[in-house]
Amino acid sequence: MDARSAPASVEELLDRVLEVSDGLPKRLKQCADYVAANPDRVAVSTVAEMSEGAGVQPSAFMRFCQVLGFSGFSQMQRLFRDSYAQNWPDYATRLEKLRESGAGSPSALLAEFVEAGRLSLENLAKTLDPRTLDAAIKALSEANMVHIVGMRRAFSVASYLAYAFEKMNVPTMLHDSVGKLDSRHAIRAGDAVIAITFAPYSPETVALAEAGSRAGAKVVAITDSLASPLRPVTPLLLTVSEADFGDFRSLSATLSLAVALVVAVGTANRARKNGIP
Amino acid sequence: MDARSAPASVEELLDRVLEVSDGLPKRLKQCADYVAANPDRVAVSTVAEMSEGAGVQPSAFMRFCQVLGFSGFSQMQRLFRDSYAQNWPDYATRLEKLRESGAGSPSALLAEFVEAGRLSLENLAKTLDPRTLDAAIKALSEANMVHIVGMRRAFSVASYLAYAFEKMNVPTMLHDSVGKLDSRHAIRAGDAVIAITFAPYSPETVALAEAGSRAGAKVVAITDSLASPLRPVTPLLLTVSEADFGDFRSLSATLSLAVALVVAVGTANRARKNGIP
DNA sequence: CCGGACATAGAAGATATGTTCCATTTTGCG
DNA sequence: CGCAAAATGGAACATATCTTCTATGTCCGG
């Protein structure tokens, strides 16, 4: 058996598989080929299913896992499961530990948030539905005015959207509720509303989105899950799940979505103006 | 129990979850929310893991599965495991596809910004000087009050910092210049100022940072290059170079730095309070 | 042609996991 | 305020799954 220890990542494992597969007995090579061909199945299958797929006995598959340096199938599967879940199972607990230990240096903390941001970005690219995005951009670019609302944590996103739309010469109104002034009646039919809210959802944001919808405006929602209270309000639901830590999330993915929205809308508007001179 | 049979697809299931979640008892609603927020974990987790994540007992999660029309957790999980194989065009390939699918399409645009954000994050982790970060956190955690200033594009960062510091019970003042009210004289010796500005640098931000420095406050700068006008004002210069895309930058890295700052300062404060009772 | 070593298949055993049941607590209603 | 119904938590139970073991088969070298 190989003296080296077990691979620490899926990539490393696949490299190892290719490396050793030539010198392997027949059945074990079948396993190697099958794993190399369907690495994605490992995470969600049982040994029985894998071995059947490879055309071997379960015990043969077990030996294969052990040749790779694992104690058994379960250990190997854990690797695949973790990589699928993208490690954000326990970001909260990891950071919690970092904080409790006190040994968590600021740089380590920053590294955690950088990593969380990266995962959020990847997840955004993977899960966002292009059609919903297209529809949202269409609604926004056809609007006479874009109203933006987001409170508390989401306010930074709202203010960024307001800034960027202004740069793009898109008529915009940021509903900031300074002085608790109620500005919901500024929304007209033919306008559009971008409502941003994350759990715990801010009632003011939801209320303004509903008011806008009643007034005949299209509503685009940026929120964190399908369970959002904005779901009944609009079909244009852009969901962004950031890896968060208690009340904190870095908003990396949300901001990227925001800037993409703005640029797309700005471009669409310019094209329309040029196309209809 | 619901007379209808179990959902046949993940989408159908999530719809059903949203539909029934309002009329559900507390613990079952926790399950519903958790599944809605992390549908991807169902495929690779055990009941124990899921129920822990939702903050309920395994038996509660079982009941939840049965309310949905499944015989148990296993049947529900099968749904997720089966659908898993399909949406596994992984991040890299997905991004590639998004880019190819028409240069100007919104999805392609989003992919660009996601990639830009990722590069910014990696760059941040690589280039930020840990000692400067430590010093900045020390200055902020020792301050009586933290003043935050950032205009235009940087305002979203400033508002996020204000929100997050408030959550951490750190005394904070956001200088937003609403109504052009001048609040610079609120800064005292023993306070700290976080000034955020990117090229083209906002004169108001620089002016307030200078005023704070003259008043005897420590100044922490978040800016985009060493050529920043804030450099003469303070040695605590945190430089973040975001990958630009035209006139827009997504602020992914800046926001990650911001949240790391806040958590580190909040933790340091708490430690000090406990250490000096 | 024979003997030994390795590979294999199948079954038996150990473990982890899902599931159910029941006592206790909470909630809602008269 | 008291009762009944629902919800909940925890532990016991059943089962699916992993893992190990051994008898059998196959290949290679002497």
Side-chain angles (χ1 to χ4, degrees), chain B residues 69-152:
Chain B
F70 296 102
S71 68
F73 176 73
S74 298
Q75 202 183 76
M76 176 170 126
Q77 191 179 47
R78 183 154 307 133
L79 217 61
F80 284 85
R81 307 251 251 225
D82 290 347
S83 84
Y84 165 80
Q86 299 165 5
N87 49 342
W88 181 249
D90 73 314
Y91 163 72
T93 39
R94 175 76 187 259
L95 208 61
E96 200 61 41
K97 271 182 195 162
L98 284 182
R99 280 200 183 140
E100 286 168 359
S101 70
S105 90
S107 306
L109 206 59
L110 178 63
E112 291 292 345
F113 282 114
V114 164
E115 186 60 17
R118 237 201 48 199
L119 289 175
S120 305
L121 285 170
E122 287 180 5
N123 191 59
L124 172 66
K126 261 195 303 207
T127 63
L128 198 85
D129 180 20
R131 282 167 306 176
T132 311
L133 184 63
D134 288 350
I137 286 160
K138 183 158 179 290
L140 291 174
S141 64
E142 288 171 358
N144 296 323
M145 170 161 294
V146 175
H147 299 264
I148 302 171
V149 57
M151 304 293 161
R152 310 175 57 72

Coordinates of all heavy atoms in Angstrom, one line a residue, chain B residues 69-152:
Chain B
G69 N -45.0 15.5 2.8 CA -45.6 14.4 2.0 C -44.6 13.3 1.8 O -45.0 12.3 1.1
F70 N -43.4 13.4 2.3 CA -42.5 12.3 2.2 C -42.7 11.3 3.3 O -43.3 11.6 4.3 CB -41.1 12.8 2.3 CG -40.7 13.7 1.1 CD1 -40.7 15.1 1.3 CD2 -40.4 13.2 -0.1 CE1 -40.3 16.0 0.3 CE2 -40.1 14.1 -1.2 CZ -40.0 15.4 -0.9
S71 N -42.2 10.1 3.0 CA -42.3 9.1 4.1 C -41.3 9.4 5.2 O -41.4 9.0 6.3 CB -42.0 7.7 3.5 OG -40.7 7.6 3.1
G72 N -40.2 10.0 4.8 CA -39.2 10.4 5.8 C -38.1 11.2 5.2 O -38.2 11.6 4.0
F73 N -37.0 11.3 5.9 CA -35.9 12.2 5.4 C -35.3 11.5 4.2 O -34.9 12.2 3.2 CB -34.9 12.4 6.5 CG -33.7 13.1 6.0 CD1 -33.7 14.5 5.8 CD2 -32.5 12.5 5.9 CE1 -32.6 15.2 5.4 CE2 -31.4 13.2 5.4 CZ -31.4 14.5 5.2
S74 N -35.1 10.2 4.2 CA -34.4 9.6 3.1 C -35.0 9.8 1.8 O -34.4 10.1 0.8 CB -34.3 8.1 3.4 OG -33.6 7.8 4.6
Q75 N -36.4 9.7 1.8 CA -37.1 9.9 0.5 C -36.9 11.4 0.0 O -36.7 11.6 -1.2 CB -38.6 9.7 0.7 CG -39.3 9.3 -0.6 CD -40.8 9.1 -0.3 OE1 -41.5 10.1 -0.2 NE2 -41.2 7.9 -0.3
M76 N -36.9 12.3 0.9 CA -36.7 13.7 0.5 C -35.3 13.9 0.0 O -35.1 14.6 -1.0 CB -37.0 14.6 1.7 CG -36.7 16.1 1.5 SD -37.3 17.1 2.8 CE -35.9 18.0 3.2
Q77 N -34.4 13.3 0.7 CA -33.0 13.4 0.3 C -32.7 12.9 -1.1 O -31.9 13.4 -1.8 CB -32.1 12.8 1.4 CG -30.6 13.1 1.2 CD -29.7 12.4 2.2 OE1 -29.9 11.2 2.5 NE2 -28.9 13.2 2.9
R78 N -33.4 11.8 -1.4 CA -33.2 11.2 -2.7 C -33.5 12.2 -3.8 O -32.8 12.3 -4.8 CB -34.1 10.0 -2.8 CG -34.0 9.2 -4.1 CD -34.4 7.8 -4.0 NE -33.7 7.1 -2.9 CZ -34.3 6.4 -2.0 NH1 -35.6 6.2 -2.1 NH2 -33.6 5.9 -1.0
L79 N -34.5 13.0 -3.6 CA -34.8 14.0 -4.5 C -33.7 14.9 -4.8 O -33.3 15.2 -5.9 CB -36.0 14.9 -4.0 CG -37.1 15.3 -4.9 CD1 -37.7 14.2 -5.6 CD2 -38.1 16.2 -4.2
F80 N -33.0 15.4 -3.7 CA -31.9 16.3 -3.8 C -30.7 15.6 -4.4 O -30.0 16.2 -5.2 CB -31.6 16.9 -2.5 CG -32.6 17.9 -2.0 CD1 -33.7 17.6 -1.4 CD2 -32.3 19.3 -2.3 CE1 -34.6 18.6 -1.0 CE2 -33.2 20.3 -1.9 CZ -34.4 19.9 -1.2
R81 N -30.5 14.3 -4.0 CA -29.3 13.6 -4.5 C -29.5 13.5 -6.0 O -28.5 13.6 -6.8 CB -29.2 12.3 -3.9 CG -29.2 12.3 -2.4 CD -27.8 11.9 -1.8 NE -27.8 10.7 -1.1 CZ -27.2 10.4 0.1 NH1 -26.7 11.5 0.8 NH2 -27.1 9.2 0.6
D82 N -30.7 13.1 -6.5 CA -30.9 12.9 -7.9 C -30.7 14.2 -8.7 O -30.1 14.2 -9.8 CB -32.3 12.4 -8.1 CG -32.4 10.9 -7.6 OD1 -31.4 10.3 -7.3 OD2 -33.6 10.4 -7.5
S83 N -31.2 15.3 -8.2 CA -31.1 16.5 -8.9 C -29.6 17.0 -8.9 O -29.3 17.9 -9.7 CB -32.0 17.6 -8.3 OG -31.4 18.2 -7.3
Y84 N -28.9 16.5 -8.0 CA -27.5 17.0 -7.8 C -26.7 16.8 -9.1 O -26.0 17.7 -9.5 CB -26.9 16.3 -6.6 CG -25.4 16.5 -6.6 CD1 -24.8 17.6 -6.1 CD2 -24.5 15.5 -7.0 CE1 -23.4 17.8 -6.0 CE2 -23.2 15.6 -7.0 CZ -22.6 16.8 -6.5 OH -21.3 16.9 -6.4
A85 N -26.8 15.7 -9.6 CA -26.0 15.3 -10.8 C -26.2 16.3 -11.9 O -25.3 16.6 -12.7 CB -26.4 13.9 -11.3
Q86 N -27.4 16.8 -12.0 CA -27.7 17.7 -13.2 C -27.0 19.1 -13.0 O -26.3 19.5 -13.9 CB -29.2 17.9 -13.2 CG -30.0 16.6 -13.5 CD -31.5 16.8 -13.2 OE1 -31.9 17.9 -12.9 NE2 -32.2 15.7 -13.3
N87 N -27.3 19.8 -11.9 CA -26.7 21.1 -11.9 C -25.3 21.1 -11.4 O -24.9 21.9 -10.5 CB -27.6 22.1 -11.1 CG -28.0 21.5 -9.7 OD1 -27.9 20.3 -9.5 ND2 -28.4 22.3 -8.8
W88 N -24.5 20.2 -11.9 CA -23.1 20.2 -11.5 C -22.2 20.7 -12.6 O -21.1 20.2 -12.8 CB -22.7 18.9 -10.9 CG -21.2 18.8 -10.5 CD1 -20.2 18.1 -11.1 CD2 -20.6 19.5 -9.4 NE1 -19.1 18.4 -10.5 CE2 -19.3 19.2 -9.4 CE3 -21.1 20.4 -8.5 CZ2 -18.4 19.7 -8.5 CZ3 -20.2 20.9 -7.5 CH2 -18.9 20.5 -7.6
P89 N -22.7 21.5 -13.5 CA -21.6 22.2 -14.3 C -20.9 23.1 -13.3 O -21.6 24.0 -12.8 CB -22.4 23.0 -15.3 CG -23.9 22.7 -15.1 CD -24.0 21.9 -13.9
D90 N -19.7 22.8 -13.0 CA -19.1 23.5 -11.9 C -18.8 25.0 -12.2 O -18.9 25.4 -13.3 CB -17.9 22.8 -11.3 CG -16.7 23.0 -12.3 OD1 -17.0 22.8 -13.5 OD2 -15.7 23.3 -11.8
Y91 N -18.4 25.6 -11.2 CA -18.2 27.1 -11.3 C -17.4 27.5 -12.5 O -17.8 28.4 -13.2 CB -17.6 27.6 -10.0 CG -17.0 28.9 -10.1 CD1 -17.8 30.0 -10.1 CD2 -15.6 29.1 -10.1 CE1 -17.3 31.3 -10.2 CE2 -15.1 30.4 -10.2 CZ -15.9 31.5 -10.3 OH -15.4 32.7 -10.4
A92 N -16.3 26.9 -12.7 CA -15.4 27.3 -13.8 C -16.1 27.2 -15.1 O -16.1 28.2 -15.9 CB -14.1 26.5 -13.8
T93 N -16.7 26.1 -15.4 CA -17.3 25.9 -16.7 C -18.5 26.8 -16.8 O -18.8 27.3 -17.9 CB -17.8 24.4 -16.8 OG1 -18.3 23.9 -15.6 CG2 -16.6 23.5 -17.2
R94 N -19.3 26.9 -15.7 CA -20.4 27.8 -15.8 C -20.0 29.2 -16.2 O -20.6 29.8 -17.0 CB -21.1 27.8 -14.4 CG -22.3 28.7 -14.3 CD -23.5 28.2 -15.0 NE -24.6 29.1 -15.0 CZ -25.6 29.1 -14.2 NH1 -25.7 28.1 -13.3 NH2 -26.5 30.0 -14.2
L95 N -19.0 29.7 -15.5 CA -18.5 31.0 -15.8 C -18.1 31.1 -17.3 O -18.4 32.1 -17.9 CB -17.3 31.3 -14.9 CG -17.1 32.7 -14.5 CD1 -18.2 33.3 -13.8 CD2 -15.8 32.9 -13.7
E96 N -17.4 30.1 -17.7 CA -17.0 30.1 -19.1 C -18.2 30.2 -20.0 O -18.2 31.0 -21.0 CB -16.2 28.8 -19.4 CG -15.3 28.8 -20.6 CD -14.2 29.8 -20.4 OE1 -13.7 30.0 -19.3 OE2 -14.0 30.5 -21.4
K97 N -19.2 29.4 -19.7 CA -20.4 29.4 -20.6 C -21.0 30.8 -20.5 O -21.5 31.3 -21.5 CB -21.4 28.4 -20.0 CG -21.2 27.0 -20.7 CD -22.2 26.0 -20.1 CE -21.8 24.6 -20.5 NZ -22.6 23.7 -19.6
L98 N -21.1 31.4 -19.3 CA -21.8 32.7 -19.2 C -21.0 33.7 -20.1 O -21.7 34.5 -20.8 CB -21.7 33.1 -17.8 CG -22.7 32.5 -16.8 CD1 -22.5 33.1 -15.4 CD2 -24.1 32.7 -17.3
R99 N -19.7 33.6 -20.1 CA -19.0 34.6 -20.9 C -19.2 34.3 -22.4 O -19.4 35.3 -23.1 CB -17.5 34.4 -20.6 CG -17.0 35.0 -19.4 CD -15.5 35.2 -19.4 NE -15.1 35.8 -18.1 CZ -14.0 35.4 -17.5 NH1 -13.2 34.5 -18.0 NH2 -13.6 36.0 -16.4
E100 N -19.2 33.1 -22.8 CA -19.4 32.8 -24.2 C -20.8 33.2 -24.7 O -21.0 33.6 -25.8 CB -19.2 31.3 -24.5 CG -17.7 31.0 -24.4 CD -17.5 29.5 -24.4 OE1 -18.5 28.7 -24.4 OE2 -16.3 29.0 -24.3
S101 N -21.8 33.1 -23.8 CA -23.2 33.3 -24.2 C -23.5 34.7 -24.6 O -24.3 35.4 -24.0 CB -24.1 32.8 -23.1 OG -24.1 33.7 -22.0
G102 N -22.8 35.2 -25.5 CA -23.0 36.6 -26.0 C -22.3 37.6 -25.1 O -22.5 37.7 -23.9
A103 N -21.4 38.4 -25.8 CA -20.5 39.2 -25.0 C -21.3 40.2 -24.2 O -20.8 40.6 -23.1 CB -19.6 39.9 -26.0
G104 N -22.4 40.7 -24.7 CA -23.1 41.8 -24.0 C -24.2 41.4 -23.0 O -24.8 42.2 -22.4
S105 N -24.4 40.1 -23.0 CA -25.5 39.6 -22.2 C -25.3 39.9 -20.7 O -24.2 39.9 -20.2 CB -25.8 38.1 -22.4 OG -25.0 37.4 -21.4
P106 N -26.4 40.2 -20.0 CA -26.3 40.5 -18.6 C -25.5 39.4 -17.8 O -24.7 39.7 -16.9 CB -27.7 40.6 -18.1 CG -28.5 41.0 -19.4 CD -27.8 40.3 -20.5
S107 N -25.8 38.2 -18.1 CA -25.1 37.1 -17.4 C -23.6 37.1 -17.6 O -22.9 36.9 -16.7 CB -25.7 35.7 -17.8 OG -27.1 35.7 -17.7
A108 N -23.2 37.4 -18.8 CA -21.8 37.5 -19.1 C -21.2 38.7 -18.3 O -20.1 38.6 -17.7 CB -21.6 37.7 -20.6
L109 N -22.0 39.7 -18.2 CA -21.5 40.9 -17.5 C -21.3 40.5 -16.0 O -20.3 40.8 -15.4 CB -22.6 42.0 -17.6 CG -22.1 43.4 -17.4 CD1 -21.1 43.8 -18.5 CD2 -23.3 44.3 -17.6
L110 N -22.3 39.8 -15.5 CA -22.3 39.4 -14.1 C -21.0 38.6 -13.8 O -20.3 38.7 -12.9 CB -23.5 38.7 -13.7 CG -23.6 38.1 -12.3 CD1 -23.5 39.3 -11.2 CD2 -24.8 37.3 -12.0
A111 N -20.8 37.7 -14.8 CA -19.6 36.8 -14.6 C -18.4 37.6 -14.6 O -17.5 37.3 -13.8 CB -19.6 35.8 -15.8
E112 N -18.3 38.6 -15.4 CA -17.1 39.5 -15.3 C -16.9 40.1 -14.0 O -15.8 40.1 -13.4 CB -17.2 40.6 -16.4 CG -17.1 40.1 -17.8 CD -15.8 39.6 -18.2 OE1 -14.8 39.9 -17.4 OE2 -15.6 38.9 -19.2
F113 N -18.0 40.6 -13.4 CA -17.9 41.3 -12.1 C -17.6 40.3 -11.0 O -16.9 40.6 -10.1 CB -19.2 42.0 -11.8 CG -19.2 43.3 -12.6 CD1 -20.2 43.6 -13.5 CD2 -18.3 44.3 -12.3 CE1 -20.3 44.8 -14.2 CE2 -18.4 45.5 -13.0 CZ -19.3 45.7 -14.0
V114 N -18.1 39.1 -11.2 CA -17.8 38.0 -10.2 C -16.3 37.7 -10.2 O -15.7 37.7 -9.2 CB -18.6 36.8 -10.4 CG1 -18.1 35.6 -9.7 CG2 -20.1 37.0 -10.0
E115 N -15.8 37.6 -11.4 CA -14.4 37.3 -11.6 C -13.6 38.5 -11.0 O -12.6 38.3 -10.3 CB -14.1 37.1 -13.0 CG -12.7 36.6 -13.3 CD -12.4 35.3 -12.6 OE1 -13.3 34.6 -12.2 OE2 -11.2 35.0 -12.5
A116 N -14.0 39.7 -11.4 CA -13.3 40.9 -10.9 C -13.2 40.9 -9.3 O -12.2 41.1 -8.7 CB -13.9 42.1 -11.4
G117 N -14.4 40.6 -8.8 CA -14.5 40.5 -7.3 C -13.6 39.5 -6.7 O -12.9 39.7 -5.7
R118 N -13.5 38.4 -7.4 CA -12.6 37.3 -6.8 C -11.2 37.7 -6.9 O -10.4 37.5 -5.9 CB -12.8 36.0 -7.7 CG -13.3 34.8 -6.9 CD -12.9 33.6 -7.6 NE -11.6 33.6 -8.1 CZ -11.1 32.8 -9.1 NH1 -12.0 32.0 -9.7 NH2 -9.9 32.9 -9.5
L119 N -10.8 38.3 -8.0 CA -9.4 38.8 -8.1 C -9.1 39.8 -7.0 O -8.0 39.8 -6.4 CB -9.2 39.4 -9.5 CG -9.2 38.3 -10.6 CD1 -9.1 39.1 -12.0 CD2 -8.0 37.4 -10.4
S120 N -10.0 40.7 -6.8 CA -9.8 41.7 -5.8 C -9.6 41.1 -4.4 O -8.7 41.5 -3.7 CB -11.0 42.7 -5.7 OG -11.3 43.2 -7.0
L121 N -10.4 40.1 -4.1 CA -10.4 39.5 -2.8 C -9.0 38.8 -2.6 O -8.3 38.9 -1.6 CB -11.5 38.5 -2.7 CG -12.9 39.0 -2.4 CD1 -13.9 38.0 -2.5 CD2 -12.9 39.7 -1.0
E122 N -8.6 38.1 -3.7 CA -7.3 37.4 -3.6 C -6.2 38.4 -3.4 O -5.3 38.2 -2.6 CB -7.1 36.5 -4.8 CG -8.0 35.3 -4.8 CD -7.7 34.5 -6.1 OE1 -6.8 34.8 -6.9 OE2 -8.5 33.5 -6.3
N123 N -6.3 39.5 -4.1 CA -5.2 40.5 -4.1 C -5.2 41.1 -2.7 O -4.1 41.4 -2.1 CB -5.5 41.5 -5.1 CG -4.4 42.5 -5.3 OD1 -3.3 42.1 -5.6 ND2 -4.6 43.7 -5.0
L124 N -6.4 41.3 -2.1 CA -6.4 41.9 -0.8 C -5.7 41.0 0.2 O -4.9 41.5 1.0 CB -7.9 42.1 -0.4 CG -8.1 42.5 1.1 CD1 -7.6 43.9 1.3 CD2 -9.6 42.4 1.4
A125 N -6.0 39.8 0.2 CA -5.4 38.8 1.1 C -3.9 38.8 1.0 O -3.2 38.6 1.9 CB -6.0 37.4 1.0
K126 N -3.5 39.0 -0.3 CA -2.0 38.9 -0.6 C -1.3 40.1 -0.1 O -0.2 40.0 0.4 CB -1.8 38.6 -2.1 CG -1.6 37.2 -2.4 CD -1.0 37.1 -3.8 CE -1.9 37.7 -4.9 NZ -1.8 37.2 -6.2
T127 N -1.9 41.3 -0.4 CA -1.1 42.5 -0.3 C -1.2 43.3 1.0 O -0.4 44.1 1.4 CB -1.4 43.5 -1.4 OG1 -2.8 43.8 -1.3 CG2 -1.2 42.8 -2.8
L128 N -2.3 43.0 1.7 CA -2.5 43.9 2.9 C -1.5 43.5 4.0 O -1.3 42.4 4.3 CB -4.0 43.7 3.5 CG -4.4 44.8 4.4 CD1 -4.9 46.0 3.6 CD2 -5.4 44.3 5.4
D129 N -0.9 44.6 4.6 CA 0.1 44.4 5.6 C -0.6 44.1 6.9 O -1.3 44.9 7.5 CB 0.9 45.6 5.7 CG 2.0 45.5 6.7 OD1 2.3 44.4 7.1 OD2 2.5 46.5 7.2
P130 N -0.3 42.9 7.5 CA -0.9 42.6 8.8 C -0.6 43.6 9.9 O -1.4 43.8 10.7 CB -0.3 41.2 9.1 CG 0.1 40.7 7.8 CD 0.6 41.9 7.0
R131 N 0.6 44.1 9.9 CA 1.0 45.0 11.0 C 0.1 46.3 10.9 O -0.3 46.8 11.9 CB 2.5 45.3 10.9 CG 3.3 44.2 11.4 CD 4.8 44.5 11.1 NE 4.9 44.7 9.6 CZ 6.1 44.9 9.0 NH1 7.1 45.1 9.7 NH2 6.1 45.1 7.7
T132 N -0.1 46.8 9.7 CA -0.9 48.0 9.6 C -2.3 47.7 10.1 O -2.9 48.5 10.7 CB -0.9 48.5 8.1 OG1 0.4 48.5 7.6 CG2 -1.6 49.8 8.0
L133 N -2.8 46.5 9.7 CA -4.1 46.1 10.1 C -4.2 46.0 11.6 O -5.1 46.6 12.2 CB -4.5 44.7 9.5 CG -5.9 44.2 9.7 CD1 -6.9 45.1 9.1 CD2 -6.1 42.8 9.2
D134 N -3.2 45.4 12.2 CA -3.2 45.3 13.7 C -3.2 46.7 14.3 O -4.0 47.0 15.2 CB -1.9 44.6 14.2 CG -2.0 43.1 13.9 OD1 -3.1 42.6 13.5 OD2 -1.0 42.4 14.0
A135 N -2.4 47.6 13.8 CA -2.3 48.9 14.3 C -3.6 49.7 14.2 O -4.1 50.4 15.1 CB -1.2 49.7 13.6
A136 N -4.2 49.5 13.0 CA -5.5 50.2 12.8 C -6.6 49.7 13.8 O -7.3 50.5 14.4 CB -6.0 49.9 11.4
I137 N -6.6 48.4 14.0 CA -7.6 47.8 14.9 C -7.3 48.3 16.4 O -8.2 48.6 17.1 CB -7.5 46.3 14.9 CG1 -8.2 45.9 13.6 CG2 -8.2 45.7 16.0 CD1 -7.8 44.5 13.1
K138 N -6.0 48.4 16.7 CA -5.7 48.9 18.0 C -6.2 50.3 18.2 O -6.8 50.7 19.2 CB -4.1 48.8 18.2 CG -3.7 49.3 19.6 CD -2.3 48.7 19.9 CE -1.7 49.1 21.2 NZ -1.4 50.5 21.3
A139 N -5.9 51.1 17.2 CA -6.3 52.5 17.3 C -7.8 52.6 17.4 O -8.4 53.4 18.3 CB -5.9 53.3 16.1
L140 N -8.5 51.8 16.7 CA -10.0 51.9 16.7 C -10.6 51.4 18.0 O -11.5 52.0 18.5 CB -10.6 51.1 15.5 CG -10.3 51.7 14.1 CD1 -10.8 50.8 13.0 CD2 -11.0 53.1 14.0
S141 N -10.0 50.4 18.5 CA -10.6 49.8 19.7 C -10.3 50.6 20.9 O -10.9 50.5 21.9 CB -10.1 48.3 19.9 OG -8.7 48.3 20.1
E142 N -9.2 51.4 20.9 CA -8.9 52.3 22.0 C -9.7 53.6 21.9 O -9.6 54.4 22.9 CB -7.4 52.6 22.0 CG -6.6 51.4 22.5 CD -5.1 51.6 22.3 OE1 -4.7 52.7 21.8 OE2 -4.3 50.7 22.7
A143 N -10.4 53.9 20.9 CA -11.0 55.2 20.7 C -12.3 55.3 21.5 O -13.0 54.3 21.8 CB -11.4 55.4 19.2
N144 N -12.6 56.5 22.0 CA -13.9 56.7 22.7 C -15.0 56.6 21.7 O -16.1 56.1 22.0 CB -13.9 58.1 23.3 CG -12.8 58.2 24.4 OD1 -12.5 57.2 25.1 ND2 -12.1 59.3 24.5
M145 N -14.8 57.2 20.5 CA -15.9 57.1 19.5 C -15.2 57.0 18.1 O -14.1 57.5 17.9 CB -16.7 58.4 19.6 CG -17.6 58.5 18.4 SD -19.0 59.6 18.6 CE -19.9 58.9 19.9
V146 N -15.9 56.2 17.3 CA -15.4 56.0 15.9 C -16.2 56.9 14.9 O -17.4 56.7 14.8 CB -15.4 54.6 15.5 CG1 -15.0 54.4 14.1 CG2 -14.6 53.7 16.4
H147 N -15.5 57.8 14.3 CA -16.2 58.6 13.2 C -15.9 58.0 11.9 O -14.8 57.6 11.6 CB -15.6 60.0 13.3 CG -15.8 60.7 14.6 ND1 -16.9 61.6 14.8 CD2 -15.1 60.7 15.7 CE1 -16.8 62.1 16.0 NE2 -15.8 61.5 16.6
I148 N -17.0 58.0 11.1 CA -16.8 57.3 9.8 C -17.2 58.3 8.7 O -18.3 59.0 8.8 CB -17.7 56.1 9.7 CG1 -17.4 55.1 10.8 CG2 -17.6 55.4 8.3 CD1 -18.3 54.0 10.9
V149 N -16.3 58.4 7.7 CA -16.7 59.3 6.6 C -16.3 58.7 5.3 O -15.2 58.1 5.1 CB -15.9 60.7 6.8 CG1 -14.4 60.5 6.9 CG2 -16.3 61.7 5.6
G150 N -17.2 58.8 4.3 CA -17.0 58.3 3.0 C -18.1 58.9 2.1 O -19.2 58.8 2.4
M151 N -17.7 59.5 1.0 CA -18.7 60.1 0.1 C -18.8 59.3 -1.2 O -17.9 58.5 -1.6 CB -18.3 61.5 -0.2 CG -18.0 62.4 1.0 SD -19.6 62.7 1.9 CE -18.9 63.2 3.5
R152 N -19.9 59.6 -1.9 CA -20.1 59.0 -3.2 C -19.9 57.5 -3.2 O -20.6 56.9 -2.5 CB -19.1 59.7 -4.2 CG -19.1 61.3 -4.1 CD -18.1 62.0 -4.9 NE -18.3 61.6 -6.3 CZ -19.2 62.0 -7.1 NH1 -20.2 62.8 -6.7 NH2 -19.3 61.6 -8.4

